Structures are given as C-alpha cells and as structure tokens.
Amino acid sequence: VEANYSQLSAELVHALQASASVELRKGIHSIPLNKDITRPQFTIFVKENGCRISAKTTVGSGGFSVKDDFDVTKPVKSRTKTLIKRAEILFEPALALGNVVPTLVHLPQLFEDNGAASLQRVPIVTLARSLISNASAVAEKTLWALEKICQINLSKIQLLPFYKAASRHKP
C-alpha cells in the first residue's frame, strides 16, 4: 500500500483534543540551558512522592465551541483556519524551581540574532549594550539574592490565546 501525503495540510484538521501525563522521580534535576557550565543551571526540585505533569490542548476554529469544532456537519467555509484555542500544563504537587533568575537573564543568549552582527560596528550601540550588560549584572545579583530567600514554585502553565476577528482569508 502506498500513501501520498503531499496534499495533506493542517487545514484538514478541524478539531483536536489531546492530553498526556508523565511522572517525575524525586530528586534534584538540572536542566542545562546555559552553554557555559560555570553559570548556574536551571534546576527543579521534585519532592519525595514525585511530581505528576499533565498536559492538555484544544485545537479548533475561532468562534466555535468545542462541540461545534467536532461537529462534522458544520461546513468548511464557516470555519476559520485551525487555531490553538487552549493549552495547559499542570504540576502536582508544584515543582520547586532553582536558579530561575540567572536562567531568565541568560535565556536570550540561547538564540542567535543574525541582524545584531551589523549593529555591533556602530559605536553608540556598543556603548548601549555595555551599559545594559552592566545594569543587568547588578539586577541579576540583586534578584539572585532575593531568590535565595524566597522559593519559586510552579504549579500551572496556561495558554489562552486572544484572536482578533479570525477569518479564513486572513493569514
């Protein structure tokens, strides 16, 4: 049996609901987001009984209820392009996070900015980057000291997009 998938597109999906869950073992787990191993790495602390992570997502047409999204009798012309309508991740019990501030401060370094190379040669840009870098170093040390006193916990991540007048003909 040979199947030709070249004519398939995401527009063929009118509705989708998916969910998954995993269990994290107890312990301290470092997530090496920073290439510089001398920098503090993002860390999660999983309590004695572990942590259950549950994820759910709903995809459908803008302006439709979930029931309408799954109604195959609704004409295609009445639907918008397929949109992510909701996504959610739950952590039970909440995860204790470590080194959040250094991770957030250095997160932009994980991504290359190809347009910034040409700006590096402009003296005022170089000066501005130096000032921002020095200010962020001071802010990082201050926030890091605060993080040592306070524990940051993560229990839920939720995405509820807002769509302006979605239509089939707009990109």
Side-chain angles (χ1 to χ4, degrees):
V1 173
E2 185 175 320
N4 181 355
Y5 298 108
S6 64
Q7 300 300 316
L8 295 179
S9 73
E11 289 183 357
L12 294 175
V13 177
H14 294 297
L16 171 75
Q17 283 185 319
S19 63
S21 64
V22 297
E23 291 275 339
L24 291 181
R25 292 189 313 235
K26 78 170 188 156
I28 300 171
H29 307 285
S30 291
I31 301 170
L33 295 176
N34 197 315
K35 294 176 185 175
D36 180 0
I37 59 171
T38 63
R39 300 260 331 136
Q41 299 297 324
F42 183 63
T43 307
I44 57 174
F45 303 94
V46 181
K47 296 177 183 169
E48 187 68 31
N49 293 329
C51 176
R52 181 179 186 83
I53 302 174
S54 304
K56 294 187 269 186
T57 188
T58 303
V59 175
S61 296
F64 276 29
S65 68
V66 173
K67 182 180 176 186
D68 288 341
D69 280 331
F70 283 96
D71 185 352
V72 294
T73 64
K74 298 277 183 195
V76 174
K77 292 184 190 273
S78 70
R79 299 175 183 270
T80 63
K81 287 191 174 184
T82 306
L83 311 167
I84 297 174
K85 297 173 87 169
R86 180 185 183 108
E88 180 177 83
I89 303 173
L90 298 173
F91 302 88
E92 299 173 50
L95 277 178
L97 307 178
N99 298 324
V100 174
V101 172
T103 300
L104 290 176
V105 168
H106 290 279
L107 197 61
Q109 293 178 358
L110 293 176
F111 307 97
E112 290 184 33
D113 186 357
N114 297 330
S118 62
L119 292 174
Q120 295 293 337
R121 293 181 283 255
V122 179
I124 191 74
V125 172
T126 304
L127 177 64
R129 284 193 65 182
S130 176
L131 291 172
I132 291 169
S133 176
N134 290 337
S136 71
V138 170
E140 177 184 4
K141 287 183 181 11
T142 304
L143 291 170
W144 204 3
L146 184 61
E147 185 180 325
K148 296 230 185 265
I149 302 169
C150 305
Q151 177 64 60
I152 299 171
N153 292 296
L154 178 63
S155 61
K156 183 178 192 177
I157 299 172
Q158 188 173 32
L159 172 71
L160 296 169
F162 175 74
Y163 300 102
K164 295 181 185 178
S167 90
R168 183 155 194 67
H169 304 292
K170 292 182 181 177

